Every structure is written in C-alpha cells, then in structure tokens.
Amino acid sequence: MLQILLLSHIITFLIGNYMKEQCILCIQSINLKENCEEIDVSCLILTFETCTSSPITTVSGVTSSTAVRVYANQVIRLIMDLLCNAYSNTSDEDEDVEKRALPPLKRAKHEFLHTSSRTLPVVGLTQSKNIPTEAPIAGRYISKRERTLMASASQSSLVGPPTYSACSPVQGSISDSYIRKDILLSLRNRTKDYSNSVHTSERISTPLTGHTKAVNAIQWSKTHSHLLASAGMDSSIHIWNVWNTEQKKSRVFNIHTAAVKDIQWSNHGLSLLSCGYDCSSRLVDVEKGLETRVFKEDQAVGVIKFHPNNSNLFLSGGSNGLIRLWDIRTGNEVNRYSRGLGPILDLEFMNNTREFISSSDESKSNISENSIIVWDVSRQVPLSNQIYVEAYTCPCIRHHPNDPYFVAQSNGNYIAIFSSKPPFRLDKYKRYESHGVSGFPIKCNFSPDGKKLATGSSDGCIYFYDTKTCHLIKKTKVYEQTCVDVAFHPVISNIIASCSWNGEISVFE
C-alpha cells in the first residue's frame, strides 16, 4: 500500500486539481492481489488514456487536453520506473503475464484464386527468429524475458550471419549477358510465331552433360526463358543457362538425399520447386542458391504441380496415394485428397483451376475405376473416377492449353484423349499412336499454341503429332536409350528440349 500512496502523491503533485477526481478513480481501479504485491499496469494506463482523451477546461477558460496528456505521460513513466525496480527480482511472473497477454491463434483462410503480394522471406533450416535490437523507449518497462532475448541477440551478432541449408557453390551465371545475339533478340522480343514450328531441325544444337543417372524431368522457366531446369536419379538438380557462351551449367542443387522425381518453376521470380524419394518437396531460390522451404511427408513424393493462378499453392502426390495441397507461405498442408489409391503418377489442373486430374498406379481389380480421377479442389471430393476403363496405367496427364480436353500417356503405347467437361468421356475414335512406352515414365507436352503434341518414346525418338488430326508429323532419333521427357520452349517456336534414361539432355533448334 505504500506504493499506492506514493503514486497518489505523485499524481496530485503533477496534475493538481485538473484531474484530481479522475486520478483517484484511476488509483482505485488498480487490480491488487491479496498480498498487494502486483499491480495491473494495463488497467492504470488504459484509465489514464480514457481520462485524457476528453478536453479539460483550464482556469482561463481555454479548452486543452495536450497539457494534461503530457503530465499523464510523465506519470506513466515514473510508474514504469517504480514497477521495474519493484519487480526486477522476479523470475517467472513476467513470463506468465506475457503468455496470458498473447492473443489466441486463428486459422488462416485459404484463397485459391488470389495471388498474395507478400514477399516470402528466405528462411534457412538453422535461421533463428527475428529479435528486435532497437534501443528501448525511455521509461518503458522491460520484462526479464525481453532482456534475455536482447542479450542473446547481441551475442549472436558477434558470431556472424545465420547459416542456411547447404547447396553446391555457384558454377556459372544465370544472366543473359553472354547469350547469342539472335537468341537474345528473340527472347527479349518474346516472339511467338509458331507457324513454322513443325520444321524442327534434327541437328542437336546444344548438348548438356552433367547428370550421372537418368533424368526424370526438365522444364523451361517462363519468366527467365533462357534457363532450363533438370531433375535426375542422381539426387541432383541442375540449372542450365542454355545459350551461355562461357558456362552453361549455372547451378547445381544437392538438397535431396535420394532421387529427384519432378521439378516445377514458379510463375513468379526465380523459385524452383522439387520433390523426390526422400519424402520431401523443397523450394529453392535459384538466384541466391538457397533452400527456402522444406515440405516433409510420410511418403515418397513423385509429382508436384503449382496452382496456375496462385504460385503460393501447389499439389503433391506420393507413393501412398495421398495428394496434398500446400501453402508455401506457411509451409503447412491446406487440403488432403485421399481415396485409397496406389502411387500417384501425375497431376494436372484443369483450365478453370477449380478441378484437377490425378493418375495413379493401381494394381487392384478396380484399376478401371481409379486410374484417372477428376477432383474438386475446394471440396476435396472426386467428381469422376470412371474415366479410363482400360486396364492401363497413365504416367503422364496434360491438359490442352486452349481447348476443353486433356490427354493421358498410356502404357498401352498410345496417348488417349478425354473431354475436360462432365462426364469426362474418353474419345474412342481418336488417339495418338506410333511411339512406345514399355513401362517407362515417359512424358508428353503440348506446344504453347496447342497445335502440336510431342512425346518421348522407348526407342529413343521424339514423336511430333498434329493435335487436330492426331497424325504423326515426324519423329526424330535422339538417344540410344529411352527419351523420357520433352519440353517446348515458351517463347521461341522452333526450340525443344529433351532428356534421356542415360542422363543426357539435348536442345534442338
């Protein structure tokens, strides 16, 4: 009670008769415990702010609340100093008060068609939390927990910057400064003339060597279209500056501990997502050469796919038949799609982005019911599961860039065509056939204008089909072993990249 009397004298001395009645009420509203050892400071401050928000009439008749607020601030600072000295020896009480003051956590609402403009911070696996190091405001009470954090921050600043996930050192430049002038001009003008794109030369203009085992996937960057990414069974990810005259291999990421199965460029910036048999998906900043996020799962992850309209969301499918929707901003799972399937082979969004297609490796008797399923993204339920009634698995699914249909690479050595509108019927009169699959995870891709379909083959050739007539345009012998993946360049019409089962990568012009 001695402290209360002391506060009363201080308030009366500073403010006088202007707020005498309000101050008495303020002192009486202080919440005291039975032992009179702890004061609810927040109540005191709140009462002061409430009192000083109303104008006070001075003796001269002039209305002003500024002077009273200044006096109140001085009183609050003196109160804080007294409380700091009074409770400086306490150990755990201030931490308990801080814990009680924390607001309850709320689950974030997930948006599927909205792209967040918030910048994702680069976070390493051993990076510590951000600790404020600014000088404290004079007179402000500093808890023991906050003083400990500030002391640890000052000690860590002497050690050095935080350590990030280990990646291989930079081997070359990702800049387009050393690219051939004709290629650079086409890239910068972003010419999209696909009229002569069927006349792809059979000459291998740019061989890319570096992988020691099979290459599972390749993909061009849409925002930096001189860069090509590749994922291999040797657990490495390579970034190629394809037309660089000095060093074509720009980055090598050895962030996975097992084979890398799939890769996906983000639609915004130089971020690359990968997944593999080490039961994880990983996001890397290609420009800085740093791993920024890790998404752990309880299954080997075989395929990933970014949401077309929101690069903060992506799908992942794995060996246990589970499909998950992830948010890269939080690193958390948003939705889960499960139907007791076999390993997920491929995923593809519909053009309306409200549904997606999954392909699974079913070995049960109901293979005709679950090999291809169309899912509702938001409701997490299958819209149709009896699309492909033939007893073949489909290692690749691709939706046409413009027309309402999608294709499925079948282990029956052909590519089937399906409508992307309910009831998602199989076209029984048209298919793409001439190439071989023979059980390999062979991928196919449409050209950006949708006029051609290219696919790899078990005979080491690339097959080009006309999408309207399904007729074979040409085939090009590329490798002695299986051609696994093909990728059309997003800008230049007559450039296509491919990879093989023996680790080779080739770019045609």
Side-chain angles (χ1 to χ4, degrees):
M1 296 302 295
L2 181 62
Q3 294 180 359
I4 302 300
L5 294 176
L6 181 59
L7 294 179
S8 176
H9 287 299
I10 293 174
I11 295 170
T12 305
F13 174 76
L14 289 176
I15 302 179
N17 295 324
Y18 295 144
M19 293 181 61
K20 186 171 182 180
E21 296 179 359
Q22 291 89 335
C23 293
I24 293 174
L25 293 175
C26 175
I27 295 172
Q28 293 176 353
S29 64
I30 295 175
N31 182 22
L32 296 178
K33 291 186 177 181
E34 295 180 359
N35 54 7
C36 299
E37 291 180 357
E38 182 175 350
I39 301 175
D40 191 345
V41 183
S42 61
C43 180
L44 177 62
I45 296 174
L46 179 62
T47 309
F48 264 116
E49 290 181 351
T50 304
C51 293
T52 57
S53 62
S54 58
I56 305 298
T57 304
T58 60
V59 178
S60 61
V62 180
T63 301
S64 173
S65 63
T66 305
V68 177
R69 184 174 291 277
V70 171
Y71 294 146
N73 288 335
Q74 294 177 357
V75 172
I76 292 173
R77 290 182 180 179
L78 290 173
I79 292 173
M80 292 302 179
D81 291 339
L82 289 173
L83 293 177
C84 182
N85 295 330
Y87 297 112
S88 60
N89 294 328
T90 60
S91 58
D92 296 328
E93 291 179 358
D94 50 355
E95 294 186 11
D96 296 336
V97 173
E98 288 184 20
K99 291 179 180 178
R100 291 197 300 270
L102 290 175
L105 296 177
K106 295 183 179 180
R107 183 177 180 180
K109 296 182 179 180
H110 305 290
E111 297 291 337
F112 293 98
L113 300 179
H114 173 69
T115 302
S116 175
S117 60
R118 184 181 66 174
T119 303
L120 179 67
V122 178
V123 181
L125 294 180
T126 58
Q127 185 178 4
S128 59
K129 297 181 179 179
N130 294 329
I131 301 172
T133 57
E134 295 83 358
I137 301 174
R140 184 175 70 85
Y141 171 66
I142 304 175
S143 66
K144 185 176 180 180
R145 180 181 181 183
E146 189 174 356
R147 292 194 299 270
T148 304
L149 290 175
M150 293 176 64
S152 62
S154 61
Q155 293 178 0
S156 61
S157 62
L158 301 176
V159 177
T163 303
Y164 294 90
S165 300
C167 292
S168 297
V170 174
Q171 298 191 9
S173 172
I174 61 173
S175 172
D176 58 1
S177 303
Y178 300 98
I179 296 179
R180 279 171 21 204
K181 292 184 178 180
D182 58 332
I183 296 291
L184 185 60
L185 183 62
S186 299
L187 293 176
R188 290 181 175 177
N189 292 337
R190 301 192 71 82
T191 304
K192 292 189 176 182
D193 181 15
Y194 298 96
S195 57
N196 298 322
S197 58
V198 297
H199 302 292
T200 303
S201 172
E202 296 187 10
R203 178 177 59 89
I204 299 177
S205 63
T206 309
L208 305 173
T209 57
H211 287 282
T212 59
K213 294 182 180 180
V215 179
N216 290 316
I218 55 174
Q219 191 181 49
W220 294 97
S221 171
K222 295 181 180 179
T223 58
H224 298 74
S225 51
H226 61 287
L227 299 179
L228 177 71
S230 61
M233 296 292 288
D234 56 0
S235 307
S236 67
I237 303 167
H238 289 209
I239 308 298
W240 307 94
N241 194 340
V242 177
W243 296 283
N244 194 311
T245 57
E246 293 187 351
Q247 173 65 274
K248 300 185 185 302
K249 187 187 297 183
S250 298
R251 302 284 191 274
V252 177
F253 296 102
N254 294 306
I255 53 179
H256 288 272
T257 58
V260 185
K261 200 67 175 64
D262 198 10
I263 49 173
Q264 280 275 300
W265 285 98
S266 172
N267 292 328
H268 303 284
L270 283 168
S271 295
L272 185 71
L273 187 67
S274 62
C275 68
Y277 291 152
D278 60 351
C279 302
S280 70
S281 301
R282 299 172 184 267
L283 186 70
V284 295
D285 187 319
V286 174
E287 185 175 12
K288 297 179 181 179
L290 298 175
E291 182 183 81
T292 57
R293 284 285 187 186
V294 180
F295 308 88
K296 286 288 187 180
E297 299 198 34
D298 55 354
Q299 60 180 353
V301 186
V303 57
I304 47 178
K305 191 72 64 174
F306 271 114
H307 192 283
N309 297 339
N310 190 346
S311 290
N312 294 316
L313 302 175
F314 74 92
L315 289 170
S316 69
S319 58
N320 293 341
L322 291 178
I323 304 171
R324 292 179 169 94
L325 182 67
W326 298 88
D327 191 328
I328 66 174
R329 294 164 295 188
T330 62
N332 296 328
E333 175 185 329
V334 179
N335 287 336
R336 179 178 295 192
Y337 311 86
S338 176
R339 193 177 169 81
L341 306 176
I344 303 299
L345 301 179
D346 203 8
L347 300 167
E348 179 76 351
F349 278 96
M350 296 283 201
N351 282 352
N352 58 15
T353 69
R354 294 191 296 269
E355 297 99 24
F356 71 89
I357 317 160
S358 70
S359 172
S360 61
D361 185 5
E362 277 291 338
S363 58
K364 303 176 184 178
S365 59
N366 59 345
I367 182 173
S368 61
E369 296 183 1
N370 292 318
S371 60
I372 296 178
I373 297 179
V374 177
W375 299 84
D376 186 288
V377 175
S378 58
R379 293 189 297 162
Q380 308 173 49
V381 295
L383 300 178
S384 178
N385 67 324
Q386 296 182 357
I387 300 175
Y388 191 46
V389 296
E390 300 187 27
Y392 295 113
T393 57
C394 301
C396 178
I397 303 287
R398 291 292 182 267
H399 198 285
H400 191 274
N402 304 315
D403 297 335
Y405 73 89
F406 65 92
V407 298
Q409 179 82 270
S410 172
N411 272 313
N413 294 325
Y414 63 89
I415 299 176
I417 304 174
F418 302 88
S419 171
S420 58
K421 294 182 178 180
F424 313 106
R425 295 184 183 276
L426 168 69
D427 192 333
K428 298 180 180 179
Y429 305 101
K430 294 173 64 177
R431 63 171 60 173
Y432 306 94
E433 53 184 358
S434 286
H435 63 285
V437 180
S438 304
F440 286 94
I442 295 175
K443 297 181 175 65
C444 59
N445 275 294
F446 287 100
S447 60
D449 64 345
K451 294 181 179 180
K452 300 181 308 302
L453 177 68
T455 178
S457 179
S458 57
D459 58 2
C461 296
I462 301 177
Y463 287 73
F464 296 90
Y465 295 96
D466 185 287
T467 56
K468 295 295 184 181
T469 64
C470 295
H471 291 162
L472 176 66
I473 300 173
K474 65 179 299 186
K475 72 173 182 178
T476 302
K477 180 67 175 180
V478 189
Y479 309 112
E480 294 300 325
Q481 297 189 27
T482 301
C483 179
V484 178
D485 195 5
V486 291
F488 284 94
H489 194 274
V491 176
I492 306 176
S493 58
N494 63 335
I495 290 180
I496 187 171
S498 63
C499 61
S500 75
W501 196 249
N502 61 355
E504 298 179 80
I505 301 174
S506 304
V507 177
F508 296 87
E509 290 184 34

